[in-house]
Amino acid sequence: MAAPNAPVGTVINSRPAESVPEFATRYTNLAHPDFGAKVLFCTDEWFAPAERMLQASEAVFIVGKFDDHGKWMDGWETRRRRNGGHDYAIVKLGLPGVIKGFDVETSHFTGNYPPAASIEACYSETDPTDATEWTEIVATTSLNGDSHHFFEISDERPWTHLRLHIYPDGGVARFRVYGLPQCDWDKKDPSQIYEVSALENGGRIVAYNNAHFGVPFRLVMPGRGVNMGDGWETRRRREPGNDWCIVELGHPAIVEKIEVDTAHFKGNYPDRVSIQAAYVTNSTDQSIVTQAMFWDTLLPEQKTEMDKQHYYGKEQIREIGPVTHVRLNIFPDGGVSRLRIWGKLAD
């Protein structure tokens, strides 16, 4: 919360979590609004709309900011219940998938946070109805004010919708759902070419050496970047070497086409790029970082240009067989908006 004597309009940022579990750094947020996640229903949102708890930005507290309903809060906040019962919100995930964990964050909610919460899930091709069967995946658990609450999930079933219950009322700053997007590769035609690096196809960022300005997971997002912040950008390198980012493909593939897009990066695009790749069977994310230094070259160094989609085909791509991971090298530093790897599915 804000300091007692902070001037009106002062913006107070959230305190970072003291300890962030692996699932919150390894997997993507399936409830990210950029993926299409949205709140379908909530019992109440008197003080602050439920959609606000899905925002990607960190929650803030603005001293002295009020609206028609009272103190403006960065999150979902319901009115005080006087008639029993409790509040809940139904969230449609932007990407259906296997959930690995949650973060129910109450940053800046101190005298108005819910004392407890629980989470249910369902898989439905359409919006849930009164007849929908829900499965409890997080039992009722006590919450604290102005805190992150991480819940790890060990369930391999995919889900499409969630129902967040708060007891009995109060405010939630952010609701994040970390998991692996679902892609049924058994139903895919193996003779076709697929974007196996795409987030919606199970592609994910494994590691990177620096991300001072950008967000690496944007590399595997759909569409072109909307601005320079919609991509991966490193700090200015003041020592020898180069920057890199490792991507795990959603399915092993024989690579046939690559795109490196420097959209909006003009005075800060890389001078050159190259890609290494390998078929990895047994490893951890940490061990892959070391192994990747010695992977075969899939795409030799290529000169890049500002604000441009660079496409590489059979003339530039080396034949090294099926791969599961790629490492994008940028020389010496800079920004890349999107990386796309297309290929035919391999066993």
Side-chain angles (χ1 to χ4, degrees):
M1 290 289 284
N5 298 321
V8 172
T10 299
V11 177
I12 310 297
N13 294 316
S14 299
R15 291 183 301 179
E18 293 182 1
S19 178
V20 178
E22 182 188 11
F23 69 75
T25 58
R26 180 174 184 181
Y27 298 102
T28 191
N29 178 14
L30 301 178
H32 198 295
D34 282 2
F35 303 149
K38 59 184 178 180
V39 175
L40 299 180
F41 172 81
C42 66
T43 52
D44 186 81
E45 50 184 355
W46 178 262
F47 287 109
E51 286 283 351
R52 201 173 283 167
M53 69 177 173
L54 301 183
Q55 292 179 139
S57 59
E58 294 298 324
V60 299
F61 183 90
I62 302 179
V63 178
K65 182 175 181 179
F66 291 84
D67 57 25
D68 291 341
H69 295 282
K71 179 69 184 77
W72 182 92
M73 294 298 291
D74 193 2
W76 170 42
E77 186 182 2
T78 67
R79 74 184 77 194
R80 302 187 188 211
R81 275 190 171 266
R82 306 302 193 193
N83 57 352
H86 71 278
D87 292 315
Y88 67 86
I90 296 176
V91 176
K92 179 182 179 181
L93 297 178
L95 295 171
V98 176
I99 295 172
K100 300 297 183 180
F102 296 96
D103 179 13
V104 179
E105 181 187 348
T106 58
S107 289
H108 310 299
F109 289 92
T110 54
N112 51 350
Y113 66 93
S118 68
I119 302 172
E120 295 176 303
C122 74
Y123 190 96
S124 176
E125 298 292 343
T126 60
D127 290 345
T129 65
D130 292 340
T132 299
E133 293 187 9
W134 293 87
T135 301
E136 185 178 71
I137 55 178
V138 175
T140 303
T141 305
S142 295
L143 303 181
N144 296 312
D146 200 24
S147 304
H148 289 262
H149 305 85
F150 293 104
F151 303 99
E152 188 166 7
I153 305 300
S154 297
D155 190 322
E156 293 304 312
R157 289 175 290 180
W159 307 105
T160 58
H161 298 76
L162 298 171
R163 189 157 62 181
L164 171 64
H165 299 265
I166 57 175
Y167 304 96
D169 53 38
V172 174
R174 294 292 184 268
F175 181 50
R176 297 185 176 94
V177 184
Y178 298 100
L180 195 61
Q182 179 193 32
C183 184
D184 192 350
W185 292 106
D186 293 335
K187 295 182 179 179
K188 303 287 188 182
D189 183 353
S191 65
Q192 298 299 310
I193 295 176
Y194 297 95
E195 187 184 344
V196 288
S197 60
L199 187 68
E200 62 263 36
N201 290 333
R204 73 176 184 94
I205 304 300
V206 174
Y208 47 87
N209 73 308
N210 185 268
H212 189 84
F213 296 109
V215 184
F217 89 87
R218 308 296 303 185
L219 282 174
V220 293
M221 287 281 288
R224 297 196 75 192
V226 297
N227 54 42
M228 200 172 70
D230 189 3
W232 168 52
E233 184 184 1
T234 66
R235 81 284 182 256
R236 299 190 184 208
R237 178 171 281 274
R238 304 304 190 190
E239 66 281 339
N242 67 279
D243 295 324
W244 51 266
C245 181
I246 298 173
V247 178
E248 179 180 2
L249 306 180
H251 193 283
I254 298 174
V255 179
E256 296 194 0
K257 181 181 175 182
I258 296 173
E259 177 189 349
V260 176
D261 187 2
T262 57
H264 306 290
F265 290 100
K266 299 175 181 179
N268 51 352
Y269 65 97
D271 180 68
R272 308 176 310 283
V273 298
S274 73
I275 295 177
Q276 296 167 268
Y279 193 105
V280 180
T281 52
N282 297 311
S283 66
T284 64
D285 286 357
Q286 186 174 4
S287 68
I288 282 179
V289 172
T290 302
Q291 293 172 287
M293 294 189 294
F294 309 104
W295 288 351
D296 286 341
T297 298
L298 178 67
L299 177 71
E301 284 190 26
Q302 307 286 326
K303 289 284 288 185
T304 60
E305 299 178 36
M306 69 172 70
D307 194 26
K308 180 180 179 180
Q309 291 172 281
H310 305 78
Y311 293 101
Y312 309 106
K314 293 184 178 180
E315 293 183 359
Q316 297 90 7
I317 298 172
R318 297 183 60 231
E319 295 183 10
I320 63 174
V323 299
T324 59
H325 294 69
V326 299
R327 174 173 133 154
L328 171 64
N329 299 304
I330 60 175
F331 301 91
D333 55 30
V336 174
S337 178
R338 297 291 187 269
L339 170 67
R340 308 192 196 282
I341 307 292
W342 286 276
K344 287 187 176 180
L345 305 184
D347 293 334

